[in-house]
Amino acid sequence: MGRKRNLEKPKSGPGRKARKQSDPKLPRSLQEKKDIKELSHRQKQRLTKRIEKKRIRLEIQAKKLALKNKTKKETEEEKKIRDDDDDDDDDSIEVSSQEASESSEESETETCGANTKPLFDDEEDDSDDSEQVNNDEMQTDDSDDSEPMDDEVGESTDSSDDDDDVSDDHDNDNDDLLPIEKKAAKLHKKEKKDKELAELELQTNIKEMEKFVLPSGQEIEAESKLPPDLAVIQHRIREILHVLANFKERREPDRSRLDYLTLLRKDMCRYYNYNDFLMMKFMELFPQDIIEFLEANEVDRPVTIRTNTLKTRRRNLAQTLINRGVNLDPLGKWTKVGLVIYDSQVPIGATPEYLAGHYIIQGGSSLLPVMALAAQEKEMVLDMAAAPGGKTTHIAALMKNTGVLFANDFHKERLNAVVGNLHRMGITNTVICNYDGRQMKDVLSGFDRVLLDAPCSGTGVIAKDPGVKTSKNQEDIGRCANLQKELILSAIDCLNAESSTGGYLVYSTCSVLVEENECVVDFALKKRNVKLVPTGLEFGEDGYVNFQRHRFHPKMNLTKRFYPHTHNLDGFFVAKLKKFSNKIPGTDDKISDEQKKTEFKKDPNKNVTDSDDQVNGNSSDSDSPQLKKQKKKGLKKKNKKIGQMKKSGQKKKNILKKKKWKKK
Amino acid sequence: MRPLTDQECKVFFEKLSKYIGENIKQLLERQDGKYCFRFHKDRVYYCKEQLMKKAGHISRDHLLSFGTCFGKFTKTGKFRLHVTALDFLAPYAKFKIWLKPNAEQQFLYGNHVMKAGLGRITEGTPQFQGVVIYSMSDLPLGFGVAAKSTQECRHADPMATIAFHQADIGEYLRNEEKIT
């Protein structure tokens, strides 16, 4: 058999060598995707079927509607004629364009609606301008009102139905128009429709963006009886915040800002479980980022540890802990001893390293006041509220176990932890005592540095203790602030202003409220010869100089505030004060003017007249009447004593003071 | 706060010498200043003289601790060393026991040291000698008393007790309230 040589195929093109490379083709991935996929053959078939079905459905609907309107008017004869026509036309089309099944359906529908009307004619043939149709048109004109109705029905069911459009067009201008005119009319109509659609869309959009409507008092009352629906509340909080962000434009005209704020506060109280008072305080403090703050309070701060530099180095500790399966990182650039623990396979508070005192678990914020204090070696330092000893051990480590450190706390049972921690960390330079901080100045004074981490309401550490959310009220805050003021005065009195290296007090709280922070420091500035100095902390937000009705000392911006949502630390406040004179301003005036003069002559250094001093000059007026009597009685005696006092220095003055109090 | 009486001194130093022998001298004569032992509320504290003087300002009731607590006198007049003394025993200890890593945990829960957990032991340790117990990475874990001499250890049963537990650093967690 062999192969046959294909002779019939004509040679095409040049030879192999001259073959031209085809034009480069973009790879499929780079090709622009067409908006509409090309349909396969079957799909196309199905599509045409679908369209046809839809069309028929619409026709039937239209028929029924039109029937209702017209049947009464139409005469029987006309009907007959039309029926004949319709039948003819329909049949022809159906045979040509449609499948058997559909045609059967069609015929059924026709039999059902035996009395048909113009719509059909229009569909089939534009050129078919018979007189009858015209007549029909004339008649239908009467029921013009109803026709647009039909249109609308069509639109509502399927807005993109071209068939309908076409039919409508012909309905209205079936008169003899030029094809171009028809087209124009068609176009007009389409435009109109587009416009309508656009408007509709716009309106729906506006509805979404529409002003948030505050629920009325009754609605809120009704809601408060039901269990809270957190999703609704959260949505409302977001809406109100949105409104408040641009209040002028987004508000409801008849509602005041106060209405919005009250509802916001109530909602946030319910959503985050705060009491009203605390929420009000927070809203004053964080007008912008209240939600961030509240959310940060729901999340725990990362676990952080501090390396005990007396026993190990951070690098070595990190290595050993990593070997135990701990995932950690340095805490930040601002500290050389802190490590943050991400996760751990072993309990981080019970490793042999922990027990051997190589580190202590301590919040990142607790490092800050100690860093601000910056205790030097061989100093005498007091930690006034020491428990549980995290900061105390840090101070001792900074002092390298030299000098003397006093750790005091009011609660004896909490001091057990201090004893344990100090021994575990190998600290030997510390005396642990249990006094009320307010009496500390009577026990011992002359410290180079004092750290007062005052007991506070704990509004900065809500993540740690959520009980604060509901348990604090105005009274508690007032009580705290009062205690803090007493403690800070006592702490200042413990300081020795003449110390060559020190004379510093660091005041810190884990509260964010102004009442417990700036107010207390401001109070101390007024009552004692202290001034604010920079804390030495590079980050954190400055303290408030003005806050609402408060006007603090202009240097209050040297204090530092830390927030959970901005620094991922506990809420914290740190202020560093330097005592520049051992005098207590208020008491000078009581002794007498004479002595004052002599004192000023003696040491001009002390003659630093601050604005604070002037303020304090008035405080002597507020003495109790008892004291005034005593003053008068003891004036002569005092004058004698003053003679002696001229020679002696500060110490004797203190003795005098004590005696005076004893008498009292 | 007061210095130890002669009787107390005798009992205390006797006890201490069981662990560090004549190294007690090192504790009293130090380069960095004078150190002393002081008696306060049945306990013996070890601190710098300067610190002791400062602590003297604090009244007896309000003073909880100063320097390092070494231990306490029992009601029967014996002295019991506390784990807090470990920092000063470990550097001067004459006889030591090292534990295998898997035995560390056992010991830190307050159990005796068994032969199975024994990593290393100082040569020539006599029976009933005070020993400081280390982990294999030289981390002092506590102290106790050798139940067997080094010689006996070699032939001991794996479950046999090598050292009796006296104090361990796990106590910082187990009974923080009674640490001193």
Side-chain angles (χ1 to χ4, degrees), chain A residues 311 349-350 352 355-356 358 380 404 406 412 415 417 419-420 423-424 426 428-435 444, chain B residues 50-51 54-55 57-59 61-69 84 87-88 104 139 169 172-173 176-177 179-180:
Chain A
K311 289 202 169 181
L355 295 172
H358 289 187
M380 198 158 118
V404 181
F406 278 81
K412 202 166 192 172
L415 279 170
V419 173
H423 280 98
R424 187 169 60 80
T428 55
N429 67 343
T430 307
V431 179
I432 301 166
C433 52
N434 171 34
Y435 280 103
L444 208 56
Chain B
Q50 176 205 4
L51 187 79
K54 293 280 184 207
H57 291 285
I58 311 288
S59 72
D61 292 336
H62 293 106
L63 182 63
L64 286 184
S65 157
F66 56 98
T68 307
C69 176
T84 47
D87 273 346
F88 293 94
E104 277 177 31
L139 201 70
I169 54 177
Y172 285 119
L173 287 186
E176 196 182 42
E177 296 80 44
I179 202 71
T180 58

Side-chain angles (χ1 to χ4, degrees), chain B residues 2-18 20-21 24 27-28 35-40 42-46 70 72-73 77-81:
Chain B
R2 61 171 171 80
L4 300 175
T5 61
D6 286 348
Q7 175 61 26
E8 283 161 354
C9 253
K10 200 182 150 213
V11 174
F12 172 63
F13 283 121
E14 221 164 66
K15 185 77 166 185
L16 209 55
S17 64
K18 278 186 180 165
I20 57 176
I24 294 173
L27 283 178
L28 290 169
Y35 279 75
C36 59
F37 288 101
R38 278 291 176 277
F39 182 91
H40 175 67
D42 283 341
R43 281 157 181 78
V44 174
Y45 291 91
Y46 172 70
F70 261 56
K72 75 171 203 177
F73 282 101
K78 287 173 188 154
F79 186 76
R80 175 173 292 170
L81 273 171

